[in-house]
Amino acid sequence: MVLPVVKLGTLALKTLSKPVAAKIKQQAAIHPRFRQSIVGIAQANHRITTRMQRRIYGHATGGEIRPLNEEKAVQAAVDLIGEIFIFTVAGAAVIFEVQRSARSEARKEEIRKQELEALRQRDEGLARELELLRQKIEELEQLAKQRGLSGIFSFKHATADEAKLAKPA
């Protein structure tokens, strides 16, 4: 029951992050001080992406890159901010899922170790009990030999005799 709720919660968080990112973009575009600061970031991003595109397509990289006008720079910066916000929310959701899964696996592994330890202890207990029973049988055989009842308590020999009798038939 918890698993579907958590997965639905992360899906809802990812879905809700898109309208929030749009609102952040809208507010960032109209806030005057923020607008001034993001123009420089947008221009630097424009220069970097233009140089990468030129290198990828084999064009000359030494030429001058025209700066974006202020509106395009602001739009590019707020788009970048929106994408970074969505990526951050999605990344946080993935990290949360991985950690939750790791904790779940650790709990399962701990339960397996406890079960294995219980089985090992049970096996050791049964081995001790078997050894005690063997010792008691040996003591009974020794007592039977001393009292002359070896034929009655000779379990090992009786099964071997029965096997010898069954073979000729």
Side-chain angles (χ1 to χ4, degrees), residues 17-82:
S17 69
K18 292 176 185 174
V20 172
K23 188 67 173 172
I24 290 172
K25 287 167 54 173
Q26 178 191 15
Q27 292 298 316
I30 61 173
H31 194 272
R33 273 189 284 168
F34 189 71
R35 189 177 165 101
Q36 288 173 349
S37 63
I38 62 173
V39 168
I41 295 170
Q43 295 294 357
N45 184 39
H46 172 66
R47 285 190 298 273
I48 291 169
T49 56
T50 303
R51 283 188 193 123
M52 284 192 326
Q53 286 176 350
R54 286 181 178 178
R55 284 187 185 132
I56 289 171
Y57 296 123
H59 298 302
T61 57
E64 186 177 334
I65 299 172
R66 284 185 310 166
L68 297 172
N69 66 32
E70 187 176 340
E71 280 305 311
K72 285 185 179 179
V74 168
Q75 186 60 41
V78 295
D79 287 343
L80 180 64
I81 289 169

Side-chain angles (χ1 to χ4, degrees), residues 127-167:
R128 284 191 299 268
E129 190 176 335
L130 180 64
E131 188 58 36
L132 285 172
L133 289 174
R134 284 184 181 153
Q135 289 175 359
K136 287 182 181 181
I137 289 173
E138 287 179 21
E139 289 174 12
L140 285 173
E141 287 178 347
Q142 290 294 328
L143 286 172
K145 283 182 185 178
Q146 290 172 358
R147 295 188 180 167
L149 302 172
S150 61
I152 298 173
F153 290 108
S154 182
F155 298 115
K156 294 177 189 174
H157 303 298
T159 55
D161 291 340
E162 289 174 7
K164 287 179 185 175
L165 293 174
K167 283 183 182 177

